[in-house]
Amino acid sequence: MSIDPGRGEADSVLRPRVLLVEDEAELAGMLAGLFREEGYAVDVAPDGHTGLHYGLSRSYDVAVLDRGLPAVEGLDLLARLRRSGVTTPVLVLSALGNPADRVAGLDAGAEDYLAKPFDIDELLARLRALRRRHLDAARTLPVGGARLDLDAREVVAGSSRTALSQRECDLLATLAARPRQVFGREDLLALAFPEAENPVVVDTYVHYLRRKLGRGVVETVRGRGYRIGAPG
Ligand code: CA
């Protein structure tokens, strides 16, 4: 028996996802490589039509859009995503960098705008900041392909919502806040159940979460503890 069969798959499910819409193949390849090094799962769309298709059919943590694109122009693509209710934070990366261009980008629904040529460290830092602000604003945490809504205490997957108790929510939020980390039971006891003393409470609530959300929602890492998985 392998220690943790679903692990590789769950890791890729939990990695933050970025959509990169860029028609210059060399730049797209370079950025995709850097994003992967940063821990992102990357989808590259070489034209606006493909970008629109990905943006509407898949879920991303952040998107980077070029403006001058074949098929559908970048700001048009962005406006269409926003009209369809897609709230993914978007950074527009464009050779058009004067103030009027930036205003047009922000008015079309972009959260941020960076003119080419750009500094790669600045781009990566801006993407990190965008994701942070987005999570803070929404008060949600990704759980696999679903999201934990901390205010409603619900796990939202597409149109389905699963209500959690406060303790279930506290435990899931603790795990989901650091998706790569394996937490020992004592750590989870201290972080999620500060008023409790017996670490068995951790196992009990892991059991409740799995019963509501599917076995995979919390992974057991044998001999070490638990980490977040994916519901269903
Ligand atoms: Ca272009």
Side-chain angles (χ1 to χ4, degrees), residues 141-184:
L141 285 166
V143 179
R147 304 194 81 77
L148 170 60
D149 181 329
L150 294 165
D151 293 319
R153 292 210 311 256
E154 289 174 334
V155 172
V156 184
S159 58
S160 94
R161 307 180 77 95
T162 306
L164 302 180
S165 71
Q166 185 64 58
R167 287 182 149 202
E168 290 166 348
C169 185
D170 289 346
L171 175 59
L172 192 62
T174 303
L175 292 163
R178 294 201 186 157
R180 281 158 201 286
Q181 185 168 329
V182 178
F183 292 87

Side-chain angles (χ1 to χ4, degrees), residues 21-24 27 46 66-70 93-95 116:
V21 189
E22 172 60 69
D23 62 319
E24 289 165 48
L27 177 60
D66 182 24
R67 280 188 67 169
L69 289 168
L93 195 58
S94 174
K116 294 174 180 173

Side-chain angles (χ1 to χ4, degrees), residues 20 27-40 42 44:
L20 171 63
L27 177 60
M30 187 270 282
L31 287 175
L34 285 163
F35 292 161
R36 289 192 182 103
E37 275 174 31
E38 275 273 298
Y40 290 94
V42 187
V44 180

Side-chain angles (χ1 to χ4, degrees), residues 67 92-105 113-117:
R67 280 188 67 169
V92 170
L93 195 58
S94 174
L96 306 171
N98 71 41
D101 295 321
R102 291 168 186 270
V103 167
Y113 197 105
L114 192 57
K116 294 174 180 173

Side-chain angles (χ1 to χ4, degrees), residues 144-221:
R147 304 194 81 77
L148 170 60
D149 181 329
L150 294 165
D151 293 319
R153 292 210 311 256
E154 289 174 334
V155 172
V156 184
S159 58
S160 94
R161 307 180 77 95
T162 306
L164 302 180
S165 71
Q166 185 64 58
R167 287 182 149 202
E168 290 166 348
C169 185
D170 289 346
L171 175 59
L172 192 62
T174 303
L175 292 163
R178 294 201 186 157
R180 281 158 201 286
Q181 185 168 329
V182 178
F183 292 87
R185 290 157 86 228
E186 298 288 344
D187 299 334
L188 287 174
L189 185 70
L191 291 165
F193 306 100
E195 79 293 355
E197 281 171 10
N198 189 337
V200 167
V201 73
V202 173
D203 306 321
T204 302
Y205 279 89
V206 166
H207 171 74
Y208 291 158
L209 286 172
R210 285 173 171 166
R211 205 171 53 186
K212 280 190 176 174
L213 299 165
R215 267 209 74 72
V217 69
V218 177
E219 289 181 37
T220 300
V221 182

Side-chain angles (χ1 to χ4, degrees), residues 90-139:
V90 167
L91 181 145
V92 170
L93 195 58
S94 174
L96 306 171
N98 71 41
D101 295 321
R102 291 168 186 270
V103 167
L106 299 173
D107 278 350
E111 275 71 22
D112 203 356
Y113 197 105
L114 192 57
K116 294 174 180 173
F118 57 92
D119 179 84
I120 187 67
D121 289 327
E122 182 180 1
L123 172 62
L124 293 173
R126 283 178 182 231
L127 291 185
R128 286 194 296 271
L130 271 184
R131 289 180 48 221
R132 258 196 324 268
R133 284 211 303 273
H134 189 65
L135 288 176
D136 285 350
R139 292 257 304 147

